[in-house]
Amino acid sequence: MRTLAVLLVLALIWTAGLFAFAERVRRSTPAPQPEAADGIVALTGAGSNERIAAGMRLLEAGLGDRMLISGVNREASREDIRNVSRAVQLLYDCCVDLGFEAADTFGNAQETAGWVRARRYDSLIVVTADYHIPRAMLELGSALPQTRLTAFPVATPSLDAERWWRTTGGARLMVTEYMKYLAIFGREALRRLDRTSESSAAPPASAEPKTS
């Protein structure tokens, strides 16, 4: 009986967390115009066309010096991506970089971190889907702890964020993303705990002056 009660409590906590997560997604769009940053990154995935076009609009508005499109399909050409972004040719040619290495959100974060460090950027606008932004910000925050990150979520046309539970596709997407988010959140919490433990275990520096 006690085990059943514990499982029921855990299920209630999980469900409350899911609806809180979904509400966060719903309220994230339309996103206000962000402050200017050194760079912009658009993460590819489902609904990539909208993400890339949104990032390009920010670049055209002068809100970043350059834009990285991370996780581009290896079979896509620069011209293919330009057509998707609806970018002005001159701006696209000078200021848009394509990343082909990333295959998932962790890969996006690593690819973006390499680009940011190579450019010596201190701030970044992150453009991705509304449901993806919480997990993407966790991954990028882990990869770029010293970089100021600004989220710019883009509404997903195929997802009714207000009534997501009414369709199988919407419910599956939200639950799956919530579970992935929890996994990354738990990983980062454990890492912070490990760092705290290591700091506590480190012997204090001696305050006594050295003698010669």
Side-chain angles (χ1 to χ4, degrees):
M1 193 68 177
R2 183 177 298 176
T3 301
L4 182 60
V6 170
L7 291 175
L8 181 59
V9 169
L10 290 176
L12 289 172
I13 292 172
W14 183 90
T15 303
L18 171 62
F19 278 88
F21 177 85
E23 179 64 11
R24 177 180 175 184
V25 171
R26 184 189 71 81
R27 296 179 61 183
S28 67
T29 58
Q33 179 168 296
E35 293 183 10
D38 295 327
I40 300 165
V41 61
L43 309 183
T44 58
S48 289
N49 291 8
E50 289 78 13
R51 307 182 195 188
I52 295 170
M56 200 66 219
R57 288 195 298 271
L58 296 177
L59 186 65
E60 290 169 351
L63 296 176
D65 295 334
R66 297 188 70 82
M67 181 170 81
L68 170 67
I69 302 174
S70 174
V72 176
N73 190 315
R74 290 179 180 274
E75 297 181 1
S77 67
R78 278 194 66 88
E79 189 60 23
D80 291 335
I81 302 302
R82 191 190 75 80
N83 291 334
V84 166
S85 69
R86 302 190 290 274
V88 176
Q89 184 80 52
L90 186 62
L91 182 63
Y92 182 79
D93 289 343
C94 84
C95 303
V96 175
D97 301 313
L98 304 184
F100 294 91
E101 298 302 318
D104 52 23
T105 306
F106 177 80
N108 288 142
Q110 300 307 306
E111 185 170 64
T112 302
W115 182 77
V116 166
R117 291 179 185 126
R119 296 281 174 186
R120 298 184 179 180
Y121 286 163
D122 295 317
S123 56
L124 187 69
I125 299 171
V126 181
V127 183
T128 189
D130 47 4
Y131 68 86
H132 186 230
I133 202 76
R135 181 161 57 99
M137 293 299 285
L138 277 180
E139 289 284 21
L140 283 161
S142 177
L144 291 165
Q146 305 303 319
T147 304
R148 176 172 63 84
L149 302 175
T150 302
F152 190 81
V154 179
T156 304
S158 60
L159 173 67
D160 182 353
E162 193 165 352
R163 299 177 180 84
W164 55 272
W165 66 88
R166 292 190 175 184
T167 65
T168 302
R172 182 187 300 115
L173 176 62
M174 200 67 78
V175 170
T176 300
E177 191 59 31
Y178 174 58
M179 294 301 291
K180 290 179 179 180
Y181 172 80
L182 287 180
I184 305 306
F185 184 87
R187 184 197 71 194
E188 292 305 304
L190 287 174
R191 284 180 175 177
R192 287 193 295 271
L193 186 61
D194 286 343
R195 287 193 293 268
T196 301
S197 299
E198 289 172 3
S199 299
S200 301
S206 175
E208 295 180 3
K210 294 181 179 179
T211 59
S212 56

